[in-house]
Amino acid sequence: MQHANLRKVPNSLVYEKDPMIDLHYWPTPNGHKITIFLEETATPYRIVPVNIGTGDQFKPEFLKIAPNNRMPAIVDDQPTDGGAPVSVFESGAILLYLAEKSGKFLSADLRVRFDVLQWLFWQMGGLGPMAGQNHHFSQYAPEKLPYAIDRYVNETARLYAVLDKRLADREFVAGAYSIADMASYPWIVPYERQKQDIDNFPNLKRWFESIHARPAVVRAYEKGKAIATAPAVNEESRKFLFGQNAATVRR
């Protein structure tokens, strides 16, 4: 099912019918997870850009819904209980919320459900943080530290191998396509930047190419390209991206 054509309004991309979900977003792996889900389910949504390279994540209005100053975050104006709007931050929690709201991509069967959830948590606790540190030390750190680079490149490779082994006898991570796949896929997209040879992981490569070809995934990444490419890392953006500490939270 295709969405209605987009029309531009200030600081957002809005569907012509009233959106159900406000998605506070920037085109990063964690941001792409949510646009993939919303495109797969044809859920009306509005993208509210959060330019993490210029410090939008520290604006008071964003911190009200995302106190950890990280995007993505959502505000659902039409929650299933009919009550006040619901805000959710953390990409894994958002995927779980949207799956429960829509009844899609998360089975009600106990065993299948927790198979999906354990792999969602695997991505949130393992693949995402380790690949993120890989990106930081190999791409962005002002000083190249061989130990740190080797540590995170090797750990990323180990996690790729875990996923490759998991996919040896199934099409998707937990059998049917689910939020576990949507969570992991965007963190495999930058495999070259992570210094990984995807040909060394044939099951993962087959899975990756299958998801890459899905029309909803194509649309999701096009939405990101319409907003921005990866943030340029310079002295100004570095303080927003990497200069946070306890004092910045207390301000």
Side-chain angles (χ1 to χ4, degrees):
M1 178 178 176
Q2 294 287 342
H3 284 310
N5 292 332
L6 288 172
R7 60 183 173 88
K8 288 294 283 288
V9 299
N11 300 317
S12 64
L13 295 172
V14 187
Y15 290 120
E16 291 189 345
K17 58 182 177 178
D18 291 338
M20 178 186 301
I21 301 290
D22 276 352
L23 170 60
H24 297 258
Y25 162 96
W26 200 244
T28 70
N30 287 334
H32 290 311
K33 296 176 190 178
I34 312 307
T35 51
I36 288 172
F37 185 97
L38 293 169
E39 290 294 330
E40 290 281 8
T41 55
T43 300
Y45 69 101
R46 171 172 56 198
I47 289 177
V48 182
V50 180
N51 189 332
I52 60 176
T54 59
D56 285 355
Q57 66 271 40
F58 298 105
K59 290 181 177 179
E61 59 269 28
F62 181 67
L63 291 174
K64 287 180 181 179
I65 60 173
N68 194 38
N69 61 63
R70 297 288 192 274
M71 67 91 233
I74 65 167
V75 178
D76 180 5
D77 289 329
Q78 300 176 35
T80 55
D81 67 0
V86 172
S87 64
V88 186
F89 69 98
E90 285 293 330
S91 59
I94 295 169
L95 286 174
L96 179 56
Y97 177 86
L98 293 173
E100 292 190 343
K101 177 183 175 73
S102 66
K104 297 179 180 179
F105 299 114
L106 180 62
S107 175
D109 178 271
L110 177 67
R111 289 162 183 80
V112 177
R113 179 183 179 85
F114 277 90
D115 199 17
V116 170
L117 291 179
Q118 67 186 354
W119 284 97
L120 173 65
F121 282 37
W122 173 84
Q123 184 281 312
M124 293 295 296
L127 180 62
M130 295 301 102
Q133 292 299 316
N134 180 325
H135 294 169
H136 178 79
F137 285 105
S138 64
Q139 303 289 323
Y140 300 125
E143 181 182 356
K144 300 303 181 186
L145 301 174
Y147 175 83
I149 293 170
D150 290 346
R151 158 77 176 126
Y152 290 111
V153 168
N154 290 336
E155 179 60 9
T156 302
R158 187 190 73 81
L159 292 163
Y160 273 45
V162 170
L163 189 53
D164 184 70
K165 187 174 181 179
R166 172 68 177 179
L167 291 164
D169 61 352
R170 67 202 74 215
E171 184 177 7
F172 296 107
V173 173
Y177 184 60
S178 72
I179 58 174
D181 301 285
M182 298 177 200
S184 292
Y185 170 80
W187 282 101
I188 304 297
V189 170
Y191 62 86
E192 292 178 335
R193 289 175 58 203
Q194 297 167 10
K195 302 184 183 299
Q196 302 301 315
D197 183 352
I198 201 169
D199 289 328
N200 291 335
F201 308 96
N203 303 312
L204 185 153
K205 182 179 180 180
R206 182 265 308 156
W207 166 88
F208 176 83
E209 291 176 345
S210 174
I211 297 176
H212 181 77
R214 293 178 70 91
V217 174
V218 173
R219 292 195 302 271
Y221 275 79
E222 287 175 348
K223 298 291 190 300
K225 290 177 183 177
I227 294 173
T229 57
V233 178
N234 50 39
E235 289 306 311
E236 183 66 19
S237 63
R238 190 179 299 278
K239 66 182 180 181
F240 296 121
L241 295 170
F242 311 126
Q244 301 169 42
N245 54 38
T248 63
V249 173
R250 296 188 180 111
R251 288 174 187 166

